[in-house]
mmCIF file of all heavy atoms in Angstrom:
data_model
loop_
_atom_site.group_PDB
_atom_site.id
_atom_site.type_symbol
_atom_site.label_atom_id
_atom_site.label_comp_id
_atom_site.label_asym_id
_atom_site.label_seq_id
_atom_site.Cartn_x
_atom_site.Cartn_y
_atom_site.Cartn_z
ATOM 1 N N ASP T 17 -1.873 34.241 4.422
ATOM 2 C CA ASP T 17 -2.351 35.507 4.966
ATOM 3 C C ASP T 17 -3.489 35.339 5.975
ATOM 4 O O ASP T 17 -3.892 36.317 6.612
ATOM 5 C CB ASP T 17 -2.810 36.415 3.824
ATOM 6 C CG ASP T 17 -3.888 35.767 2.969
ATOM 7 O OD1 ASP T 17 -3.804 34.545 2.709
ATOM 8 O OD2 ASP T 17 -4.815 36.472 2.542
ATOM 9 N N LYS T 18 -3.982 34.127 6.160
ATOM 10 C CA LYS T 18 -5.073 33.892 7.116
ATOM 11 C C LYS T 18 -4.520 33.882 8.536
ATOM 12 O O LYS T 18 -3.347 33.619 8.765
ATOM 13 C CB LYS T 18 -5.783 32.568 6.819
ATOM 14 C CG LYS T 18 -6.419 32.505 5.449
ATOM 15 C CD LYS T 18 -7.481 33.562 5.277
ATOM 16 C CE LYS T 18 -8.150 33.415 3.908
ATOM 17 N NZ LYS T 18 -9.008 34.520 3.594
ATOM 18 N N THR T 19 -5.383 34.120 9.507
ATOM 19 C CA THR T 19 -4.952 34.222 10.897
ATOM 20 C C THR T 19 -4.963 32.864 11.602
ATOM 21 O O THR T 19 -5.616 31.913 11.142
ATOM 22 C CB THR T 19 -5.870 35.176 11.686
ATOM 23 O OG1 THR T 19 -7.175 34.585 11.773
ATOM 24 C CG2 THR T 19 -5.936 36.549 11.038
ATOM 25 N N VAL T 20 -4.282 32.830 12.737
ATOM 26 C CA VAL T 20 -4.276 31.628 13.569
ATOM 27 C C VAL T 20 -5.699 31.305 14.027
ATOM 28 O O VAL T 20 -6.087 30.141 14.085
ATOM 29 C CB VAL T 20 -3.317 31.795 14.764
ATOM 30 C CG1 VAL T 20 -3.511 30.700 15.794
ATOM 31 C CG2 VAL T 20 -1.873 31.814 14.279
ATOM 32 N N GLU T 21 -6.467 32.334 14.325
ATOM 33 C CA GLU T 21 -7.855 32.110 14.721
ATOM 34 C C GLU T 21 -8.634 31.430 13.590
ATOM 35 O O GLU T 21 -9.378 30.477 13.830
ATOM 36 C CB GLU T 21 -8.522 33.424 15.115
ATOM 37 C CG GLU T 21 -9.951 33.233 15.584
ATOM 38 C CD GLU T 21 -10.586 34.518 16.079
ATOM 39 O OE1 GLU T 21 -10.072 35.620 15.772
ATOM 40 O OE2 GLU T 21 -11.605 34.418 16.774
ATOM 41 N N GLU T 22 -8.466 31.906 12.368
ATOM 42 C CA GLU T 22 -9.144 31.285 11.229
ATOM 43 C C GLU T 22 -8.678 29.838 11.050
ATOM 44 O O GLU T 22 -9.481 28.958 10.723
ATOM 45 C CB GLU T 22 -8.877 32.084 9.953
ATOM 46 C CG GLU T 22 -9.573 33.431 9.933
ATOM 47 C CD GLU T 22 -9.137 34.303 8.766
ATOM 48 O OE1 GLU T 22 -7.925 34.587 8.647
ATOM 49 O OE2 GLU T 22 -10.027 34.693 7.975
ATOM 50 N N ALA T 23 -7.395 29.596 11.280
ATOM 51 C CA ALA T 23 -6.861 28.237 11.181
ATOM 52 C C ALA T 23 -7.507 27.330 12.216
ATOM 53 O O ALA T 23 -7.904 26.198 11.910
ATOM 54 C CB ALA T 23 -5.344 28.245 11.335
ATOM 55 N N ALA T 24 -7.631 27.819 13.449
ATOM 56 C CA ALA T 24 -8.230 27.021 14.515
ATOM 57 C C ALA T 24 -9.684 26.676 14.199
ATOM 58 O O ALA T 24 -10.126 25.540 14.404
ATOM 59 C CB ALA T 24 -8.127 27.766 15.846
ATOM 60 N N VAL T 25 -10.419 27.637 13.672
ATOM 61 C CA VAL T 25 -11.815 27.394 13.293
ATOM 62 C C VAL T 25 -11.886 26.359 12.178
ATOM 63 O O VAL T 25 -12.699 25.422 12.226
ATOM 64 C CB VAL T 25 -12.509 28.716 12.873
ATOM 65 C CG1 VAL T 25 -13.858 28.447 12.228
ATOM 66 C CG2 VAL T 25 -12.657 29.642 14.070
ATOM 67 N N LEU T 26 -11.021 26.479 11.184
ATOM 68 C CA LEU T 26 -10.987 25.536 10.066
ATOM 69 C C LEU T 26 -10.662 24.123 10.551
ATOM 70 O O LEU T 26 -11.284 23.145 10.119
ATOM 71 C CB LEU T 26 -9.973 26.017 9.033
ATOM 72 C CG LEU T 26 -10.063 25.527 7.604
ATOM 73 C CD1 LEU T 26 -11.447 25.709 7.005
ATOM 74 C CD2 LEU T 26 -9.028 26.244 6.749
ATOM 75 N N MET T 27 -9.696 24.012 11.470
ATOM 76 C CA MET T 27 -9.351 22.702 12.042
ATOM 77 C C MET T 27 -10.543 22.109 12.787
ATOM 78 O O MET T 27 -10.866 20.928 12.618
ATOM 79 C CB MET T 27 -8.158 22.824 12.991
ATOM 80 C CG MET T 27 -6.840 23.016 12.316
ATOM 81 S SD MET T 27 -5.543 23.161 13.585
ATOM 82 C CE MET T 27 -4.226 23.852 12.611
ATOM 83 N N ALA T 28 -11.182 22.921 13.629
ATOM 84 C CA ALA T 28 -12.319 22.441 14.413
ATOM 85 C C ALA T 28 -13.489 22.033 13.518
ATOM 86 O O ALA T 28 -14.080 20.967 13.711
ATOM 87 C CB ALA T 28 -12.760 23.510 15.407
ATOM 88 N N ASP T 29 -13.794 22.862 12.530
ATOM 89 C CA ASP T 29 -14.923 22.576 11.635
ATOM 90 C C ASP T 29 -14.707 21.309 10.802
ATOM 91 O O ASP T 29 -15.660 20.624 10.450
ATOM 92 C CB ASP T 29 -15.172 23.750 10.686
ATOM 93 C CG ASP T 29 -15.789 24.955 11.381
ATOM 94 O OD1 ASP T 29 -16.211 24.836 12.560
ATOM 95 O OD2 ASP T 29 -15.835 26.038 10.736
ATOM 96 N N ASN T 30 -13.434 21.020 10.482
ATOM 97 C CA ASN T 30 -13.131 19.873 9.624
ATOM 98 C C ASN T 30 -12.574 18.668 10.386
ATOM 99 O O ASN T 30 -12.215 17.663 9.782
ATOM 100 C CB ASN T 30 -12.146 20.297 8.535
ATOM 101 C CG ASN T 30 -12.802 21.189 7.515
ATOM 102 O OD1 ASN T 30 -13.500 20.726 6.631
ATOM 103 N ND2 ASN T 30 -12.602 22.487 7.650
ATOM 104 N N HIS T 31 -12.473 18.799 11.710
ATOM 105 C CA HIS T 31 -11.984 17.705 12.569
ATOM 106 C C HIS T 31 -10.614 17.208 12.126
ATOM 107 O O HIS T 31 -10.384 16.006 11.972
ATOM 108 C CB HIS T 31 -12.991 16.541 12.604
ATOM 109 C CG HIS T 31 -14.383 16.969 12.901
ATOM 110 N ND1 HIS T 31 -14.793 17.350 14.160
ATOM 111 C CD2 HIS T 31 -15.461 17.115 12.092
ATOM 112 C CE1 HIS T 31 -16.062 17.698 14.113
ATOM 113 N NE2 HIS T 31 -16.496 17.568 12.873
ATOM 114 N N VAL T 32 -9.697 18.158 11.900
ATOM 115 C CA VAL T 32 -8.330 17.812 11.501
ATOM 116 C C VAL T 32 -7.340 18.505 12.434
ATOM 117 O O VAL T 32 -7.660 19.518 13.051
ATOM 118 C CB VAL T 32 -8.021 18.202 10.026
ATOM 119 C CG1 VAL T 32 -8.916 17.430 9.068
ATOM 120 C CG2 VAL T 32 -8.145 19.703 9.804
ATOM 121 N N GLY T 33 -6.143 17.959 12.501
ATOM 122 C CA GLY T 33 -5.112 18.518 13.351
ATOM 123 C C GLY T 33 -4.009 19.229 12.601
ATOM 124 O O GLY T 33 -3.057 19.707 13.202
ATOM 125 N N LEU T 34 -4.150 19.299 11.265
ATOM 126 C CA LEU T 34 -3.121 19.957 10.455
ATOM 127 C C LEU T 34 -3.758 20.565 9.216
ATOM 128 O O LEU T 34 -4.598 19.935 8.565
ATOM 129 C CB LEU T 34 -2.058 18.946 10.020
ATOM 130 C CG LEU T 34 -0.942 19.567 9.181
ATOM 131 C CD1 LEU T 34 0.354 19.580 9.977
ATOM 132 C CD2 LEU T 34 -0.734 18.781 7.905
ATOM 133 N N LEU T 35 -3.342 21.782 8.903
ATOM 134 C CA LEU T 35 -3.740 22.438 7.659
ATOM 135 C C LEU T 35 -2.492 22.614 6.810
ATOM 136 O O LEU T 35 -1.415 22.915 7.328
ATOM 137 C CB LEU T 35 -4.336 23.820 7.936
ATOM 138 C CG LEU T 35 -5.549 23.888 8.858
ATOM 139 C CD1 LEU T 35 -5.922 25.343 9.116
ATOM 140 C CD2 LEU T 35 -6.719 23.117 8.288
ATOM 141 N N VAL T 36 -2.638 22.436 5.516
ATOM 142 C CA VAL T 36 -1.535 22.676 4.601
ATOM 143 C C VAL T 36 -1.639 24.127 4.134
ATOM 144 O O VAL T 36 -2.682 24.555 3.640
ATOM 145 C CB VAL T 36 -1.567 21.713 3.394
ATOM 146 C CG1 VAL T 36 -0.389 21.979 2.472
ATOM 147 C CG2 VAL T 36 -1.565 20.261 3.864
ATOM 148 N N ILE T 37 -0.561 24.864 4.321
ATOM 149 C CA ILE T 37 -0.516 26.251 3.863
ATOM 150 C C ILE T 37 -0.114 26.222 2.395
ATOM 151 O O ILE T 37 0.919 25.645 2.043
ATOM 152 C CB ILE T 37 0.486 27.077 4.690
ATOM 153 C CG1 ILE T 37 0.129 27.008 6.182
ATOM 154 C CG2 ILE T 37 0.509 28.529 4.204
ATOM 155 C CD1 ILE T 37 1.198 27.583 7.107
ATOM 156 N N VAL T 38 -0.946 26.800 1.547
ATOM 157 C CA VAL T 38 -0.705 26.765 0.104
ATOM 158 C C VAL T 38 -0.511 28.170 -0.454
ATOM 159 O O VAL T 38 -0.980 29.155 0.123
ATOM 160 C CB VAL T 38 -1.851 26.054 -0.654
ATOM 161 C CG1 VAL T 38 -1.933 24.585 -0.273
ATOM 162 C CG2 VAL T 38 -3.193 26.738 -0.408
ATOM 163 N N ASP T 39 0.154 28.230 -1.566
ATOM 164 C CA ASP T 39 0.365 29.482 -2.288
ATOM 165 C C ASP T 39 -0.999 30.057 -2.661
ATOM 166 O O ASP T 39 -1.876 29.336 -3.138
ATOM 167 C CB ASP T 39 1.200 29.178 -3.538
ATOM 168 C CG ASP T 39 1.555 30.418 -4.308
ATOM 169 O OD1 ASP T 39 0.657 31.009 -4.941
ATOM 170 O OD2 ASP T 39 2.744 30.785 -4.292
ATOM 171 N N ARG T 40 -1.171 31.352 -2.441
ATOM 172 C CA ARG T 40 -2.464 31.992 -2.752
ATOM 173 C C ARG T 40 -2.848 31.852 -4.214
ATOM 174 O O ARG T 40 -4.021 31.770 -4.555
ATOM 175 C CB ARG T 40 -2.430 33.471 -2.376
ATOM 176 C CG ARG T 40 -2.609 33.726 -0.925
ATOM 177 C CD ARG T 40 -2.906 35.174 -0.654
ATOM 178 N NE ARG T 40 -1.983 36.045 -1.358
ATOM 179 C CZ ARG T 40 -1.192 36.927 -0.783
ATOM 180 N NH1 ARG T 40 -1.225 37.067 0.523
ATOM 181 N NH2 ARG T 40 -0.397 37.679 -1.477
ATOM 182 N N ASN T 41 -1.856 31.837 -5.107
ATOM 183 C CA ASN T 41 -2.142 31.768 -6.537
ATOM 184 C C ASN T 41 -2.165 30.350 -7.083
ATOM 185 O O ASN T 41 -2.511 30.147 -8.244
ATOM 186 C CB ASN T 41 -1.106 32.596 -7.309
ATOM 187 C CG ASN T 41 -1.123 34.047 -6.893
ATOM 188 O OD1 ASN T 41 -2.192 34.634 -6.729
ATOM 189 N ND2 ASN T 41 0.042 34.625 -6.690
ATOM 190 N N ASN T 42 -1.753 29.375 -6.268
ATOM 191 C CA ASN T 42 -1.719 27.985 -6.722
ATOM 192 C C ASN T 42 -2.065 27.071 -5.552
ATOM 193 O O ASN T 42 -1.192 26.687 -4.781
ATOM 194 C CB ASN T 42 -0.339 27.635 -7.281
ATOM 195 C CG ASN T 42 -0.271 26.222 -7.814
ATOM 196 O OD1 ASN T 42 -1.227 25.464 -7.730
ATOM 197 N ND2 ASN T 42 0.874 25.866 -8.354
ATOM 198 N N PRO T 43 -3.344 26.700 -5.424
ATOM 199 C CA PRO T 43 -3.772 25.889 -4.283
ATOM 200 C C PRO T 43 -3.210 24.465 -4.268
ATOM 201 O O PRO T 43 -3.420 23.734 -3.314
ATOM 202 C CB PRO T 43 -5.298 25.881 -4.394
ATOM 203 C CG PRO T 43 -5.583 26.214 -5.811
ATOM 204 C CD PRO T 43 -4.449 27.065 -6.298
ATOM 205 N N LYS T 44 -2.489 24.077 -5.305
ATOM 206 C CA LYS T 44 -1.849 22.756 -5.330
ATOM 207 C C LYS T 44 -0.394 22.824 -4.882
ATOM 208 O O LYS T 44 0.284 21.806 -4.794
ATOM 209 C CB LYS T 44 -1.912 22.156 -6.739
ATOM 210 C CG LYS T 44 -3.284 21.686 -7.139
ATOM 211 C CD LYS T 44 -3.657 20.500 -6.297
ATOM 212 C CE LYS T 44 -4.438 19.488 -7.092
ATOM 213 N NZ LYS T 44 -4.664 18.275 -6.329
ATOM 214 N N LYS T 45 0.107 24.050 -4.614
ATOM 215 C CA LYS T 45 1.508 24.219 -4.230
ATOM 216 C C LYS T 45 1.618 24.446 -2.717
ATOM 217 O O LYS T 45 1.374 25.537 -2.216
ATOM 218 C CB LYS T 45 2.136 25.398 -4.969
ATOM 219 C CG LYS T 45 3.611 25.566 -4.627
ATOM 220 C CD LYS T 45 4.222 26.727 -5.341
ATOM 221 C CE LYS T 45 5.695 26.825 -4.932
ATOM 222 N NZ LYS T 45 6.292 28.039 -5.403
ATOM 223 N N PRO T 46 2.010 23.408 -1.973
ATOM 224 C CA PRO T 46 2.161 23.574 -0.535
ATOM 225 C C PRO T 46 3.433 24.363 -0.210
ATOM 226 O O PRO T 46 4.482 24.136 -0.816
ATOM 227 C CB PRO T 46 2.265 22.138 -0.019
ATOM 228 C CG PRO T 46 2.780 21.356 -1.172
ATOM 229 C CD PRO T 46 2.292 22.047 -2.414
ATOM 230 N N ILE T 47 3.302 25.289 0.726
ATOM 231 C CA ILE T 47 4.468 26.081 1.132
ATOM 232 C C ILE T 47 4.739 25.961 2.630
ATOM 233 O O ILE T 47 5.720 26.494 3.129
ATOM 234 C CB ILE T 47 4.322 27.561 0.722
ATOM 235 C CG1 ILE T 47 3.063 28.173 1.322
ATOM 236 C CG2 ILE T 47 4.337 27.697 -0.800
ATOM 237 C CD1 ILE T 47 2.929 29.668 1.099
#
Side-chain angles (χ1 to χ4, degrees):
D17 57 321
K18 299 299 183 190
T19 67
V20 168
E21 182 176 17
E22 290 171 302
V25 169
L26 201 52
M27 286 179 196
D29 288 350
N30 289 281
H31 310 286
V32 297
L34 181 111
L35 302 175
V36 181
I37 303 170
V38 295
D39 184 288
R40 281 194 312 239
N41 300 317
N42 182 357
K44 287 292 217 173
K45 182 181 180 189
I47 58 173

